[in-house]
Amino acid sequence: MANTSQTRATEGTQVPSRPQSNATVDYATLGGVVGAFLIIITAMILGGSPGSFFNLPAILIVIGGTFLVTTISFTFDEVSRSQKTMLRAALYQAETPGNAALQVLFLADQARRNSILSLQKHLKDIQNSGFLHRATEMLVDGIAPEQLEAVLEQQLIATQNRHQRSANILRRAGEVAPAMGLIGTLVGLVQMLSNLEDPSTIGPSMAVALLTTFYGAILSNMIFHPLAAKLERISQTEAIVNQIYTIGICSVCKQENPRRLEIMLNTILSPDQRVNYFD
């Protein structure tokens, strides 16, 4: 049964707009990260000495070491871009597959009623949807169906590869952070054992030893691994959305019946996302 919220767009209306939540913060991600840190900070405060959990040498070893070691497996540019993907996981402008299906069905209906060239006036309505906008531009430019399908499939694969590479970088950083914490622990222990005759050095050395492990565990289990998992989920959803765009635009290019397109798209969509555009 189609979701009752997925209704037909009337003739002459704009392309179904992207969800209003696109420009908003993903509260599931932010709430989880902020909430987890608040719990830890609260425990520090209740312990009575939150300042003892700050140690600059430990921070340099874990954060600086994690960044530099991760660049060994990748490049500086890739690691820098992965920092943007961390923000993307929290502020991702989600597009639902159901709404993507409505968009391409509207375009298919308009092309069937008027012409493919008539879709040019709708380009401004989908300019925020990069993949669909580029696909529609190529469609209006009159590219051959076989070439259009090949180009869109290549773009789809390239997009998935970029997302997976970013997730891999975050996962690699999640593996390196605890290792850097262990290295920092060894550094602190060596410093402590080499200066046992001076009791004043035991405390700072032990702080480095313990806090590097603490920082490494936090970075790995509260930031890098959760964000990598979130990016992979986002990538899977975006892959479905782009697949819908590819099928829809190629169907319009081949001048197929939009009702047939609706049936094809509903085989991809989950039951709660299926559309009922023409009935």
Side-chain angles (χ1 to χ4, degrees), residues 37-58:
F37 273 100
L38 283 177
I39 289 174
I40 293 177
I41 292 172
T42 300
M44 293 178 183
I45 294 174
L46 292 177
S49 56
S52 62
F53 287 88
F54 178 82
N55 185 275
L56 185 58

Side-chain angles (χ1 to χ4, degrees), residues 203-239:
S205 299
M206 183 60 71
V208 172
L210 295 178
L211 287 177
T212 50
T213 301
F214 176 66
Y215 294 152
I218 285 181
L219 287 177
S220 176
N221 298 294
M222 293 177 58
I223 297 179
F224 293 134
H225 281 306
L227 286 180
K230 186 63 174 285
L231 281 174
E232 288 178 343
R233 187 190 67 80
I234 289 172
S235 179
Q236 290 171 357
T237 301
E238 190 163 326

Side-chain angles (χ1 to χ4, degrees), residues 8 21 36-37 39 41 50 54 59 63 69-70 88 94 104 120 148 158 160 173 176 181 208 215 228-229 249 264 279:
R8 177 180 178 179
S21 59
F37 273 100
I39 289 174
I41 292 172
F54 178 82
I59 292 174
I63 296 180
V69 172
T70 303
R88 170 184 170 83
V104 295
Q120 187 167 4
L148 177 61
Q160 286 181 282
V176 171
V208 172
Y215 294 152
I249 294 301
M264 292 175 58
D279 294 333

Side-chain angles (χ1 to χ4, degrees), residues 56-66 180-181 183-185 187-188 208 212:
L56 185 58
I59 292 174
L60 291 175
I61 290 173
V62 176
I63 296 180
T66 298
M180 295 306 302
I183 292 173
T185 298
V187 169
V208 172
T212 50

Side-chain angles (χ1 to χ4, degrees), residues 225-254:
H225 281 306
L227 286 180
K230 186 63 174 285
L231 281 174
E232 288 178 343
R233 187 190 67 80
I234 289 172
S235 179
Q236 290 171 357
T237 301
E238 190 163 326
I240 295 174
V241 168
N242 290 343
Q243 184 182 9
I244 290 171
Y245 289 152
T246 299
I247 293 173
I249 294 301
C250 289
S251 176
V252 175
C253 190
K254 296 173 183 176

Side-chain angles (χ1 to χ4, degrees), residues 132-191:
L132 179 59
H133 188 267
R134 289 191 298 270
T136 307
E137 280 186 326
M138 288 188 288
L139 175 65
V140 172
D141 288 341
I143 187 172
E146 298 79 12
Q147 292 178 321
L148 177 61
E149 186 173 5
V151 170
L152 294 181
E153 287 181 352
Q154 282 296 110
Q155 288 186 0
L156 197 156
I157 293 172
T159 300
Q160 286 181 282
N161 289 339
R162 285 196 302 271
H163 291 172
Q164 189 58 51
R165 190 180 302 112
S166 296
N168 289 341
I169 291 173
L170 289 176
R171 288 201 181 279
R172 179 59 181 157
E175 295 170 357
V176 171
M180 295 306 302
L182 178 60
I183 292 173
T185 298
L186 296 176
V187 169
L189 290 176
V190 169
Q191 290 176 341

